[in-house]
Amino acid sequence: MTDFNLMDTNSTIFQLRSSSVDKTLSTAESGTRRDGHSDADIEKASEQFESLLLNFMIREMRATVPESTLFPPSMAEEIFTGMMDEQIAGEMAQNGGIGISRMIFNQLKGTK
């Protein structure tokens, strides 16, 4: 019975995380529907993409850390951790990240 509750918790967390990803992608897509793209629009979209990629990377790295059996994680803790990972990824992307946003920006602008 514990496995069933864990499955419900994981699916709820997945739905919450995927809805925030959908919001991020729809925000990025809304800027691409115009005919002309300014440098600021392209830079913002590339930072959002890098933030999304970093969020996936941080989440997967966190999954490799063994959980404590003394205090099993609650649903609230998992939601908070997911939200914290999103914020960390966003801050990393805004402050240079790992360089992916700059490469995407240069590729879209046609510069080297």
Side-chain angles (χ1 to χ4, degrees), residues 28-86:
E29 288 175 357
S30 67
T32 62
R33 293 189 182 166
R34 293 180 286 160
D35 291 331
H37 304 293
S38 69
D39 288 351
D41 291 338
I42 295 172
E43 187 173 4
K44 182 178 177 184
S46 62
E47 280 182 8
Q48 287 177 346
F49 179 77
E50 184 171 9
S51 173
L52 184 66
L53 180 66
L54 288 170
N55 186 21
F56 285 133
M57 195 166 66
I58 291 169
R59 185 178 348 142
E60 291 302 315
M61 286 192 298
R62 191 177 299 281
T64 64
V65 177
E67 293 180 358
S68 171
T69 57
L70 184 59
F71 298 109
S74 66
M75 184 175 171
E77 182 181 354
E78 291 177 6
I79 291 172
F80 174 78
T81 303
M83 291 169 53
M84 184 178 67
D85 289 347
E86 285 180 27

Side-chain angles (χ1 to χ4, degrees), residues 1-25:
M1 184 127 169
T2 308
D3 293 336
F4 182 71
N5 290 335
L6 182 62
M7 192 168 127
D8 288 338
T9 303
N10 288 336
S11 66
T12 303
I13 292 170
F14 176 76
Q15 289 172 352
L16 288 171
R17 287 180 180 161
S18 65
S19 69
S20 75
V21 169
D22 290 342
K23 289 177 189 173
T24 303
L25 290 175

